Amino acid sequence: NKCCFLIAVALIPCVFAEMCRYPLGMTSGQIQDEDISASSQWSDSTAARFGRLDSDNGDGDGAWCPDIVSESDELKEYLQVDLLSLRFITLVGTQGRHADGMGNEFARRYRIKYSRDGRNWVGWQDRSGRQVIEGNRNAYDVVLKDLEPPIVARFVRFMPITDPSMIVCMRVELYGCEWLDGLMSYSIPDGHQMIYRGLDVFFNDSVYDGAAGERLAKGLGQLTDGTLGLDDFLHSHVHGVWPGYDYVGWSNKTFPKGYVEMIFEFDRIRNFTTMKVHCNNMFSRGVRLFRQVTCFFRSGSEWDADPVTFRPALEHLSQRAHLVSVPLGDHTARTIRCRFHFGGQWMLFSEVTFQSVFLKSQLFSGLLPEDPTHKVDDSKTRILIGCLVAIIAILATIIFIIMWRQVWQKMLEKASRRLLDEELTARLAIQTQAFSFHHSFQSSENSSTSTYERIYPLQADYQEPSNLIRKLPEFSQSTEHLGKPLRGKHDGSDAAPHYAEADIISLQESSDSGTFSITTFSTNLLAGSESFLREFPREKLTFKEKLGEGQFGEVHLCEAEGMKDFLDEDLSVEATGESPLLVAVKTLREDAKKNARNDFLKEIRIMSRLRDPNIVRLLAVCVDKEPLCMITEYMENGDLNQFLSHLFSCDFLFCSYSQMIAMAAQIASGMKYLSSLNFVHRDLATRNCLVGKNHTIKIADFGMSRNLYRGDYFRIQGRAVLPIRWMSWESILLGKFTMASDVWAFGVTLWEILTLCKQQPYSHLSDEQVIENTGEFFRDQGKQVYLPQPPCCPDGVYNNLMLSCWRRNAKERPSFQQIQTQLKESVA
Ligand code: AMP
């Protein structure tokens, strides 16, 4: 039916917006990756090229997701599509990120900006002037939006409107057709107002996208919106608009020379055959076709000496609107200036279009025109085009055969694979790489002297599971099988060892390339989040004592002189009236590698957006120079693990069941807040919760949550140490980290609380056995073992709450809201 469309265009050269609704190539891949760009990306796997509607091809993370958006730059984030030539765009489609159930990110509202030349950008607005487009309501459905008025553009930007703390992801498609006219802009005197029998009739160009004023310049508008006016200019196809809406019109009283001058600018020099002008002719109301038109042509700086003049046959009998064809005599021009002489008191136009061909010398400087009326009469050129088409056809056939063979091979491989179902195998590949996300490692395959372990105080809680997983029968072959294609992109050699450190580093560096420098970082960091995050003068910090050691460096207790001025009114930090205030200062080790610095700064950005009574609050930062520091509220009772195990040893009775449940309920509340923002913590455990005054519990350590996307589809083999005893089976085996896997970790955390952190979870199992047990969860043959019921835990809490957090089916696990309610009920 594209063919029919082209024939229709050839016969009636007005572009009909209703017919022009072809997908422009995001889904099909016709638009190349390099023509899709974005203001920012959350990670490499959510780069712009993944923002293709309805395509979740597994290479990326399922969509384009910008980096975290702060209030001040919510409209700076965009996904840009370069269509390479001008297109008439009538419809847009958007979709969120679901990534097979792992994601739940989408843009509820967005705006569109477009440009024809890549320099001047215009914000699209509907006929009532509204710019905001209602987007998606869930991560799955495609939402289509008619662009009324349509736009003529080469570049289009989708700009999600977000809550600063919400992550948005988008996939998009554009629909329309080739803009055959090549018209870049027209300049006309703005239309006039008529009073017809006491009725105000407005003939202004209401959708003009250029500069306004008495004379409109550098834009397109109603004369090119693809909508022809009705015979009766008081009415319109469009609903809810004013009389005269379809037409741009002028009264001859204001034009003493008797004509209206219009200037048309084109994308390149063309040979013009015809101009078609759709005019009203309601002579009973003083409107008539133009009497005469004279067009001048310009290719360079001078106007040509031989204009074209044309007089349409004046129509006295029919008051119907007319499409007048003005022959332009194959004149060559890039700019056309036409003077339309009044045929009556009023002259009303609804559409102007042009038919042209490129100059032969320009045929190869841009896309070939699709218009069948284009005449290329040079036989050599024709032969050349024929040859090109033949070569393209042969190449397409070869590509098709290669792809077909690949698909066929894959099908055979799948058929021969034992035990594993398709999804599991694919996910496992992802998973073995997912473990590489955190740090670069110094270790060989068998040793475990990673940086992470070295500096992490509770190293026993974190394991490097990929070796262990390979011992599961289902996974022993598949890692081998899947290793090859996955490494290909970066090392290209089969001889390269698995888990090459260089791979990990090169990938991380490429994802973060060009971003590192203390000054750039700090400026950007604060610029994007003025309202939340402020630089604190480091000389006003006085060291008191070391509180602990973490993944990035040391944590110190400090006095902060003048910190009160940095606190918001709503801050739950108890401003005791003491000055200076005690704060915890987390410092990045000075020898930290680039990746660790980037992660430290990303953690700052994440934390700066989190505001909840049960989440540790970031108060300020010192990022002007090294060492980089984040200043958080001081939690005087340290981490929950140490707090509880200490109680156990000296004051068991002090901690009653209801107090333990109250602590767990606070954690559930903090997690409920995180899940409302679609944040996955990934490392929930008592060691990552801090205890303040009056047993206030706050969740800390967002070091792993930043990898929400990165981990899911990481494409390079690597390793990391992970808290396997807190992780759900699907996080370990499939690399799936979701809110439901956080719920699993909460179940383990609750178990820790109710056993007063007396022992590590599954302490009777070795790491290998924990992984084996995870395999049992996957196999689901009733052989999996659960953490035992703690002595003080009522049956109801164990059976209905704790065990429900470890259900095999992630969808059947409770939400944090439900957990909170159940905890409250258990002490009621
Ligand atoms: P982290 O790097 O966050 O894991 O911190 C390491 C240790 O420092 C924790 O286990 C706590 O004992 C201590 N710590 C961290 N942050 C704070 C804080 N805000 N208040 C008190 N102690 C803290």
Side-chain angles (χ1 to χ4, degrees):
N1 56 2
K2 186 157 189 176
C3 203
C4 301
F5 167 71
L6 288 173
I7 291 165
V9 168
L11 296 174
I12 315 165
C14 274
V15 181
F16 289 97
E18 305 88 69
M19 298 173 70
C20 176
R21 293 163 81 88
Y22 302 98
L24 293 179
M26 287 293 277
T27 311
S28 68
Q30 203 181 331
I31 296 171
Q32 304 288 308
D33 283 353
E34 59 265 29
D35 299 320
I36 310 170
S37 55
S39 53
S40 73
Q41 62 195 42
W42 173 276
S43 72
D44 242 16
S45 58
T46 60
R49 65 181 185 281
F50 300 113
R52 297 173 184 277
L53 186 126
D54 231 351
S55 133
D56 199 353
N57 59 15
D59 276 351
D61 200 9
W64 163 69
C65 315
D67 205 346
I68 295 175
V69 185
S70 79
E71 249 166 352
S72 55
D73 53 29
E74 66 162 37
L75 278 175
K76 282 190 193 142
E77 301 296 343
Y78 59 80
L79 175 66
Q80 177 176 314
V81 183
D82 177 358
L83 297 160
L84 297 181
S85 62
L86 290 178
R87 302 295 167 115
F88 188 76
I89 304 160
T90 54
L91 187 70
V92 286
T94 58
Q95 199 179 12
R97 168 187 180 268
H98 59 77
D100 292 334
M102 281 191 280
N104 186 27
E105 294 77 33
F106 49 91
R108 284 186 187 279
R109 298 180 307 144
Y110 65 97
R111 296 184 198 200
I112 279 184
K113 272 196 174 182
Y114 61 93
S115 170
R116 288 185 272 277
D117 56 10
R119 288 187 303 276
N120 301 306
W121 291 87
V122 183
W124 178 85
Q125 46 187 17
D126 70 11
R127 297 191 193 275
S128 324
R130 279 186 297 260
Q131 294 199 342
V132 176
I133 300 176
E134 289 300 319
N136 298 88
R137 298 260 141 215
N138 60 49
Y140 289 83
D141 296 329
V142 174
V143 172
L144 295 172
K145 170 78 192 174
D146 274 297
L147 292 182
E148 285 198 34
I151 54 184
V152 175
R154 173 178 157 178
F155 303 90
V156 179
R157 283 180 181 173
F158 291 80
M159 310 177 79
I161 299 175
T162 57
D163 181 290
S165 50
M166 188 181 152
I167 299 168
V168 295
C169 300
M170 288 184 97
R171 289 182 282 167
V172 304
E173 178 62 286
L174 297 144
Y175 303 83
C177 54
E178 193 91 9
W179 179 236
L180 300 170
D181 287 41
L183 184 59
M184 294 282 276
S185 69
Y186 60 75
S187 153
I188 56 169
D190 199 5
H192 295 158
Q193 179 184 350
M194 172 198 269
I195 301 190
Y196 176 73
R197 294 188 180 163
L199 184 71
D200 284 327
V201 186
F202 297 96
F203 293 126
N204 58 323
D205 193 336
S206 57
V207 300
Y208 193 74
D209 64 10
E214 243 177 70
R215 196 167 172 94
L216 308 178
K218 298 200 166 131
L220 295 176
Q222 270 185 287
L223 296 186
T224 50
D225 70 354
T227 313
L228 302 184
L230 298 178
D231 296 339
D232 181 351
F233 58 78
L234 296 179
H235 299 287
S236 169
H237 297 286
V238 184
H239 277 300
V241 289
W242 54 86
Y245 183 86
D246 286 352
Y247 289 93
V248 183
W250 306 268
S251 155
N252 66 4
K253 284 187 195 145
T254 8
F255 295 92
K257 290 181 182 163
Y259 61 80
V260 171
E261 187 171 84
M262 300 189 185
I263 299 170
F264 302 94
E265 299 277 353
F266 294 84
D267 56 348
R268 64 188 78 201
I269 298 174
R270 290 164 174 263
N271 269 359
F272 288 91
T273 49
T274 327
M275 169 173 70
K276 308 227 171 191
V277 188
H278 188 257
C279 314
N280 193 278
N281 195 38
M282 285 223 105
F283 46 78
S284 59
R285 294 179 192 164
V287 180
R288 276 194 187 277
L289 300 182
F290 56 91
R291 177 173 57 81
Q292 171 187 312
V293 59
T294 303
C295 292
F296 302 81
F297 302 89
R298 188 174 69 187
S299 302
S301 53
E302 299 288 316
W303 291 101
D304 294 351
D306 52 339
V308 164
T309 297
F310 174 77
R311 285 193 190 84
L314 280 185
E315 181 61 81
H316 297 289
L317 298 174
S318 167
Q319 299 217 68
R320 302 199 63 173
H322 280 60
L323 194 64
V324 181
S325 283
V326 180
L328 296 179
D330 283 338
H331 270 77
T332 301
R334 187 169 182 155
T335 310
I336 302 181
R337 188 177 66 190
C338 293
R339 291 174 178 165
F340 293 91
H341 293 258
F342 285 88
Q345 192 198 335
W346 285 88
M347 188 162 64
L348 310 183
F349 293 176
S350 79
E351 203 72 14
V352 181
T353 68
F354 291 86
Q355 280 187 287
S356 61
V357 287
F358 301 159
L359 281 185
K360 285 171 227 159
S361 57
Q362 292 196 314
L363 262 172
F364 297 103
S365 65
L367 283 180
L368 293 175
E370 285 185 30
D371 188 341
T373 61
H374 288 171
K375 294 174 235 124
V376 183
D377 51 17
D378 186 321
S379 57
K380 277 187 193 157
T381 313
R382 280 189 191 180
I383 292 166
L384 199 56
I385 292 172
C387 291
L388 281 175
V389 170
I391 292 168
I392 290 167
I394 292 167
L395 284 176
T397 318
I398 293 171
I399 290 168
F400 178 78
I401 291 169
I402 292 171
M403 284 175 69
W404 174 249
R405 283 187 57 181
Q406 278 180 355
V407 169
W408 186 242
Q409 257 175 3
K410 269 190 191 162
M411 282 165 67
L412 285 176
E413 277 170 17
K414 269 186 195 165
S416 66
R417 216 176 285 152
R418 281 190 304 121
L419 284 165
L420 284 176
D421 63 53
E422 191 182 317
E423 188 218 27
L424 182 63
T425 313
R427 296 266 178 242
L428 176 68
I430 290 153
Q431 196 277 332
T432 47
Q433 299 145 51
F435 300 143
S436 72
F437 57 60
H438 220 77
H439 283 266
S440 54
F441 294 91
Q442 312 299 322
S443 57
S444 72
E445 201 167 335
N446 297 321
S447 66
S448 57
T449 54
S450 73
T451 323
Y452 194 71
E453 279 182 51
R454 184 164 52 77
I455 61 169
Y456 214 91
L458 289 154
Q459 60 198 38
D461 294 334
Y462 295 82
Q463 303 304 327
E464 194 285 280
S466 53
N467 276 339
L468 304 178
I469 292 170
R470 263 188 269 160
K471 293 188 180 157
L472 294 178
E474 293 90 335
F475 298 89
S476 57
Q477 292 184 344
S478 51
T479 47
E480 184 58 38
H481 165 77
L482 289 159
K484 289 174 191 165
L486 296 168
R487 282 183 295 123
K489 188 170 156 198
H490 282 261
D491 60 27
S493 119
D494 279 359
H498 280 206
Y499 306 119
E501 183 188 359
D503 283 353
I504 301 163
I505 293 169
S506 73
L507 184 107
Q508 287 172 341
E509 286 186 348
S510 72
S511 68
D512 295 315
S513 60
T515 48
F516 187 69
S517 112
I518 287 278
T519 33
T520 340
F521 255 150
S522 22
T523 333
N524 290 346
L525 188 73
L526 297 180
S529 21
E530 303 96 334
S531 53
F532 292 146
L533 200 53
R534 289 167 66 190
E535 175 78 23
F536 187 79
R538 60 178 76 221
E539 61 281 2
K540 293 194 175 172
L541 292 172
T542 313
F543 172 80
K544 300 290 283 181
E545 65 181 73
K546 182 174 160 183
L547 291 173
E549 204 169 321
Q551 160 200 353
F552 294 116
E554 296 189 338
V555 183
H556 296 140
L557 173 65
C558 291
E559 279 180 351
E561 181 74 50
M563 176 55 87
K564 275 195 184 158
D565 302 339
F566 282 70
L567 305 182
D568 309 346
E569 282 168 13
D570 74 314
L571 194 61
S572 59
V573 170
E574 288 149 60
T576 50
E578 302 158 19
S579 185
L581 193 75
L582 287 174
V583 292
V585 179
K586 209 184 241 194
T587 313
L588 180 70
R589 279 173 295 115
E590 295 211 21
D591 64 340
K593 286 194 176 157
K594 181 178 153 182
N595 297 324
R597 287 164 189 273
N598 286 350
D599 288 348
F600 188 78
L601 288 158
K602 261 200 165 163
E603 183 169 3
I604 288 178
R605 294 194 75 186
I606 288 173
M607 282 191 74
S608 70
R609 312 257 178 323
L610 302 177
R611 308 220 142 189
D612 185 82
N614 298 111
I615 304 283
V616 168
R617 182 71 70 90
L618 180 67
L619 305 176
V621 291
C622 304
V623 288
D624 60 336
K625 55 181 185 224
E626 296 208 45
L628 307 185
C629 305
M630 58 173 105
I631 305 173
T632 64
E633 55 184 309
Y634 170 53
M635 302 292 283
E636 58 188 25
N637 286 308
D639 71 67
L640 182 58
N641 190 286
Q642 286 168 16
F643 178 76
L644 288 177
S645 44
H646 171 73
L647 280 181
F648 178 57
S649 58
C650 60
D651 193 7
F652 179 67
L653 291 177
F654 172 76
C655 197
S656 69
Y657 171 75
S658 60
Q659 275 173 324
M660 291 191 275
I661 291 297
M663 286 176 180
Q666 290 184 65
I667 299 173
S669 174
M671 291 305 294
K672 189 175 78 180
Y673 168 75
L674 288 187
S675 58
S676 73
L677 302 177
N678 284 339
F679 261 85
V680 178
H681 187 288
R682 290 181 179 234
D683 197 8
L684 181 60
T686 52
R687 65 182 169 278
N688 290 330
C689 298
L690 296 171
V691 188
K693 284 199 178 81
N694 305 321
H695 297 166
T696 312
I697 310 287
K698 303 199 182 201
I699 300 165
D701 274 276
F702 294 88
M704 289 175 100
S705 58
R706 67 178 168 272
N707 290 304
L708 171 62
Y709 302 107
R710 209 183 265 193
D712 292 346
Y713 285 97
F714 216 36
R715 282 281 155 196
I716 292 297
Q717 294 262 5
R719 298 185 299 158
V721 279
L722 290 168
I724 53 171
R725 290 162 198 268
W726 282 259
M727 281 164 69
S728 67
W729 72 269
E730 75 274 8
S731 300
I732 294 178
L733 297 183
L734 308 179
K736 275 192 184 184
F737 288 87
T738 60
M739 282 157 225
S741 57
D742 273 356
V743 166
W744 180 296
F746 176 85
V748 182
T749 309
L750 176 61
W751 183 90
E752 285 188 279
I753 294 173
L754 293 176
T755 54
L756 289 169
C757 302
K758 194 170 80 176
Q759 44 182 243
Q760 226 197 5
Y762 312 101
S763 57
H764 60 295
L765 300 183
S766 65
D767 293 337
E768 215 159 290
Q769 287 168 326
V770 170
I771 299 289
E772 263 169 33
N773 191 36
T774 306
E776 293 300 347
F777 270 99
F778 164 63
R779 283 177 216 118
D780 203 22
Q781 292 165 346
K783 291 187 192 160
Q784 64 272 39
V785 291
Y786 294 88
L787 287 169
Q789 183 171 352
C792 69
C793 179
D795 290 349
V797 172
Y798 184 68
N799 294 325
N800 302 334
L801 176 55
M802 216 181 268
L803 290 180
S804 71
C805 294
W806 305 323
R807 285 188 182 138
R808 186 184 188 279
N809 184 347
K811 288 190 187 129
E812 288 173 11
R813 292 175 206 152
S815 65
F816 281 109
Q817 170 69 61
Q818 288 165 331
I819 291 175
Q820 214 188 0
T821 315
Q822 273 179 279
L823 287 171
K824 274 191 194 144
E825 283 168 5
S826 84
V827 284

